[in-house]
Amino acid sequence: MTADSSTATTPVAPLDDPGRPLRSMFRERWFSTLFMTDMWERFSFYGMQALLFLYATAPAAEGGLGLSDGTAGALFGLYISASFLAAMPGGWLGDRVLGTHRAMLCGALIIMAGHLSMAVPAHATFYPGLFLVACGTGLLKPNLPVMFDQMNPGASSSRRQAAFSLFYMSIQVSALIGPLVTGALGERVDWHLGFGAAAVGMAFGVLQYMHGASSLRGTATGPSRPLPPDALRRLIRRGWAALAAAVVLGGGLAAAGGLPLRPVLALCGLASLAAPVWYFGRLLRGAELDEAARQRIRGYRRIFVPSVVFWAMYGQLGSVFSLFAREHTNRQVAGHTVPASWFQSAHPLFLLLLAPLFAWLWLRIGARVGVAGKFSAGLLCAGGGFAVLAVAARFASDGGMPVSAFWLLGAFLCMTCGELVFGPVGLSVTAESTPEGHNSRMMGLFYLGAALGAGLGGQLSHLVGVLPLWTYLAGFAVAAAATALSLRHRTARM
């Protein structure tokens, strides 16, 4: 048991207790605390995500950034990639420096500060705000599932997957509402007012977490594997030096008129590609791991690659899907035009409706279908979503008219089914593969795969209009699913 889980202020029944239904979690205070915290974080995340691409492509005369569709898509992919990429140092800080509780609280406060910066009606504060939101997300996201798993000791694989599915479902309420609120304010009133609504939502999340923190394990303890005092002092000195250098560099670049956006996006894409390779190597070379732990991590690499493929397609939801909604979808309802950002609510709506079904499914099939088989099914679902868009795009180009919104909703439905595989199952398998004392960092590795996928997906946005991207992605997903399925037996043994 880790240090973060050694002290509990509230008794917690084992999740694997046969007499305890999973739905009983909803009546416990620790669950409501984590639920409300992540719910408000999802409100701000999805709310801001719904506006980001549309704001970036809006003409400067309308208050937007005036970027091209391809550059805005790459910017969106970079933001999603940076949010996931920051989960690696965020997980390390949770394990070695801050502890799970303090890492979550600091992350929530930084996210709120980022949204407030984006709410200021000035382009100069937009990019620093986007950076702060990504950094805060990197602290909060890998540590929250660790806290959730610590509150459910002794769970089997199928019960853990079902519990994560229910948690996925519970936070989608605010993810459904977020784009509706921020989209109405941002598209119809003022972009920055929409970003401000996301800041208000995150402020509610901070207050909720502080109010219910006493019900969580580890709030009175530090990191699970704390750094030695000398190493901690060196880290603090280097942190202050890096912050000072970043401030000076940022001020100099602002005075010089900034850097071209495209090279910066490409450089960050290369960073997201190199980081997983470096981190896997560093983890496997660590002297604190025995051979059994290294074998589990090697096996984890076989499910890491399909995850990257899926998240590359998932990274198109806020960019390519938003572009399709704006340009190719009939948005007229009863004489009114539905904002393009509102279609982003379709994704959390389907998550909310389907998560109970998938939770039941994981309990039903148990271990009869391995992780590779489940991931293959998830890739086929994602490929089906792009196949739907490919057919709809053909109809739109042939007829010269926008297509029915049901085409786009069908594509969202397919992508949602894919996420309900890769999200809960991926988190569960990551928790099972974690060596002792590496909880948050392994969760950071899970999100690192999402960072790499989102970064690659953002670069693919440049190809929209150059080639039939929907068709290529659908075919690539089918090929990746077949490859993962062919390696399922060896993956299970590892």
Side-chain angles (χ1 to χ4, degrees), residues 159-174:
R159 296 279 289 187
R160 184 185 283 110
Q161 291 174 15
F164 273 121
S165 292
L166 288 178
F167 189 70
Y168 245 61
M169 177 196 70
S170 64
I171 62 175
Q172 299 310 318
V173 177
S174 63

Side-chain angles (χ1 to χ4, degrees), residues 242-392:
L243 179 62
V247 171
V248 172
L249 180 61
L253 290 175
L259 287 173
L261 187 58
R262 292 289 291 273
V264 173
L265 296 178
L267 183 62
C268 292
L270 289 175
S272 68
L273 179 63
V277 178
W278 170 80
Y279 193 68
F280 266 114
R282 187 176 185 276
L283 199 59
L284 289 170
R285 288 192 302 268
E288 68 273 16
L289 298 183
D290 57 21
E291 186 55 33
R294 289 190 177 91
Q295 185 73 355
R296 289 200 303 273
I297 292 174
R298 293 189 189 103
Y300 186 76
R301 287 188 300 190
R302 292 184 176 273
I303 66 170
F304 184 83
V305 175
S307 295
V308 170
V309 176
F310 171 78
W311 294 113
M313 293 184 286
Y314 176 86
Q316 312 298 320
L317 288 181
S319 55
V320 174
F321 277 52
S322 290
L323 177 64
F324 194 94
R326 188 185 67 189
E327 303 294 338
H328 304 299
T329 303
N330 184 358
R331 296 184 282 123
Q332 297 297 319
V333 177
H336 298 280
T337 303
V338 175
S341 57
W342 281 17
F343 283 92
Q344 293 296 317
S345 290
H347 178 56
L349 173 62
F350 290 137
L351 281 174
L352 185 64
L353 295 175
L354 295 177
L357 174 62
F358 276 79
W360 170 85
L361 182 63
W362 302 145
L363 289 174
R364 184 75 174 176
I365 65 177
R368 286 177 291 178
V369 178
V371 175
K374 293 171 182 175
F375 276 15
S376 297
L379 285 170
L380 290 176
C381 289
F386 282 98
V388 169
L389 286 187
V391 175

Side-chain angles (χ1 to χ4, degrees), residues 28-166:
E28 297 178 16
R29 189 183 178 194
W30 70 265
F31 183 89
S32 65
T33 298
L34 294 181
F35 158 57
M36 294 294 290
T37 303
D38 210 20
M39 185 190 77
W40 284 114
E41 191 275 333
R42 291 292 87 184
F43 175 93
S44 65
F45 177 85
Y46 277 98
M48 195 271 283
Q49 174 180 289
L51 289 182
L52 180 55
F53 178 84
L54 299 174
Y55 168 71
T57 55
E62 298 177 8
L65 296 179
L67 302 179
S68 66
D69 291 341
T71 303
L75 175 64
F76 179 85
L78 171 62
Y79 160 67
I80 299 295
S81 177
S83 299
F84 289 135
L85 191 63
M88 184 177 65
W92 184 86
L93 288 171
D95 278 339
R96 305 300 305 273
V97 180
L98 297 173
T100 307
H101 164 66
R102 285 189 287 273
M104 289 176 58
L105 181 58
C106 291
L109 290 170
I110 293 172
I111 292 172
M112 183 178 67
H115 286 306
L116 286 173
S117 179
M118 295 173 70
V120 176
H123 290 173
T125 60
F126 175 78
Y127 292 108
L130 206 61
F131 176 76
L132 287 175
V133 173
C135 290
T137 304
L139 265 177
L140 179 65
K141 295 308 288 183
N143 289 286
L144 192 144
V146 171
M147 179 74 78
F148 183 87
D149 199 54
Q150 288 173 355
M151 300 301 294
N152 295 286
S156 66
S157 177
S158 58
R159 296 279 289 187
R160 184 185 283 110
Q161 291 174 15
F164 273 121
S165 292
L166 288 178

